[in-house]
Each structure stands twice: as structure tokens, then as C-alpha cells.
Amino acid sequence: MRWLEINLEIKNNDPEMIRKVFANFVYFLVKDFKEISSKKGSWHYIWESIPWTSTLRIRFYNSNDIIEKIKQKFETEYDNFNKSNPDILGQYIYGNNGEEGEEYEGEANYYGTRGWKLVMKMLEFGSEVALELIKNKDLLESDQYSGSYPGSIDLYADRYVHLFLNQLNYFIKESEFLMKQLPFRYYIEKNGMTPQEAFLVETDIMIKNYLEKISSKYNQRRMTLMRKED
């Protein structure tokens, strides 16, 4: 078993163009992978800023034979998509983090052997959900109520995050987690890099102080209202 990592340049970031990539290209590539692999192995996609500013990174995990077949399928689908949509997709590279010839080997060294098996499932499930929502975006955001998807993409994203944090409630408090992640993720989106550890520690202290301050104000307000009622 081995991984195939495809780094694909996206030249047009218009939401409708992105949707077209997923609905008319990625969807059929994944469908082919499931068929030729009998739904075994794994797959997922993520967005990265290397080797191009907007890089769609798609990974497939299976036997050598299946990997070679999906590579051929990708090249066929890529050529077919480009014929009718010449200004959306750019170059592509096979290789870990866009390094041609360097194979992606998974991330057991980061998550641990058992942890990586769980993360592989999470990445695949998240990709399945995201692909389904992006492909059917018109149903989610239509003016008329849709029995198939009664809500926007924001609703499903919120439920995905909230319910998992809820399941981890004993270990992670949702409000503190989201507050700590907010400046961290904003920094990455703005600067395209991870902030230094010192910044994260400082942010953690600032957020805890802020929450304590706001909580104290709420409590003072509550006590004032209670005294008025008496």
C-alpha cells in the first residue's frame, strides 16, 4: 500500500469556478477511485499555499496497481476538464508537498501509528462531506426550502465542529477552544505561516483574561438585576 499525492494549481478562485472543479472533476475522479478499489484504501483532499498560492492537494491510498490506475484516470480527467474549462486549472505535480518525485508516506510520525489511522478516517470523512456540500451548493443556498439540504454550508460546518467538540467535552471546552483558535487561524490566513510559540502563549493568556473579565461583568450585571427585583 502506498500514497499518491497530486498537487494541482487552481488559477481561478471564483467560488463558482471552484465548485465546477469539484462537481465536474474531483467528484468523478473520486468516483473512479472508489470503483476500481472496491471502496478500499483511503483518500482525502486539502488546500495548501505551496507550491502555488492556491493548491488543491488530493491524496489516494491503495495498492501499487490501484495507484497507477488512478494516476492514469487523473491525467485523463485533467485533460478532459481543461478542454472545456481552459482557464481554471494550472500545472500539477506528483509528490509530497509539491516536491516532485518525493512520495507522501502519511503522518504516523506526527500523530502516532494508531492516531494516524483515526486522522485518515477524519480526513476522508471531512472530504466526503465537503465534496457533497460544494457539489450541491445551489440546493443549500437556494431561496426555496430544499428537503435534501435544508440549510447553508455554514450550518453543516458549524454542526461538524460543534458536535465533535461536544463529544470531547470532558477534555476540551468548546468556548475556550474556539476563542484560542480564532487569532491563531486568522494569523495563518493573513500571513500564510504559523505564528511563533511565544505568540500562542501570549494569546492564550490574553483570551483567558478576557473571558474572566467578561464573565465577571455578566455576573455583576446579574447581581444588580436580582437586587432590583428584590
Side-chain angles (χ1 to χ4, degrees), residues 70-117:
I70 201 62
K71 184 186 286 189
Q72 293 173 11
K73 289 281 187 181
F74 165 75
E75 292 172 3
T76 299
E77 293 288 352
Y78 174 86
D79 289 339
N80 290 339
F81 184 85
N82 267 351
K83 287 176 183 177
S84 52
N85 305 278
D87 301 318
I88 302 178
L89 301 181
Q91 307 170 66
Y92 66 83
I93 292 174
Y94 299 123
N96 184 27
N97 290 317
E99 292 290 332
E100 193 163 10
E102 182 180 320
E103 286 203 5
Y104 176 71
E105 297 181 351
E107 297 175 44
N109 61 327
Y110 183 76
Y111 295 104
T113 305
R114 294 180 66 179
W116 175 232
K117 289 180 180 179

Side-chain angles (χ1 to χ4, degrees), residues 24-69:
N24 300 334
F25 178 62
V26 178
Y27 172 79
F28 291 103
L29 183 63
V30 172
K31 186 170 180 285
D32 286 340
F33 175 72
K34 291 178 180 178
E35 289 176 355
I36 64 178
S37 66
S38 300
K39 297 185 178 180
K40 295 179 181 177
S42 186
W43 77 277
H44 65 264
Y45 73 84
I46 52 176
W47 287 95
E48 294 288 0
S49 57
I50 55 173
W52 303 286
T53 303
S54 184
T55 303
L56 179 60
R57 186 163 293 164
I58 314 171
R59 294 175 177 141
F60 297 96
Y61 182 65
N62 216 294
S63 65
N64 286 336
D65 181 50
I66 298 298
I67 290 301
E68 289 304 317
K69 287 181 180 178

Side-chain angles (χ1 to χ4, degrees), residues 128-186:
E128 291 276 6
V129 172
L131 180 59
E132 179 75 7
L133 296 179
I134 293 171
K135 182 174 178 289
N136 296 288
K137 186 174 178 289
D138 56 337
L139 293 178
L140 279 83
E141 300 188 357
S142 62
D143 293 332
Q144 294 182 331
Y145 176 87
S146 170
S148 298
Y149 299 98
S152 67
I153 283 182
D154 285 354
L155 168 69
Y156 296 94
D158 173 76
R159 294 297 85 190
Y160 188 89
V161 175
H162 163 70
L163 292 174
F164 181 63
L165 291 175
N166 175 272
Q167 291 165 330
L168 291 172
N169 186 53
Y170 181 77
F171 301 98
I172 298 179
K173 296 299 180 184
E174 184 176 348
S175 58
E176 290 186 14
F177 178 81
L178 293 174
M179 287 290 287
K180 285 192 291 186
Q181 286 292 305
L182 180 61
F184 175 70
R185 290 298 164 193
Y186 179 79

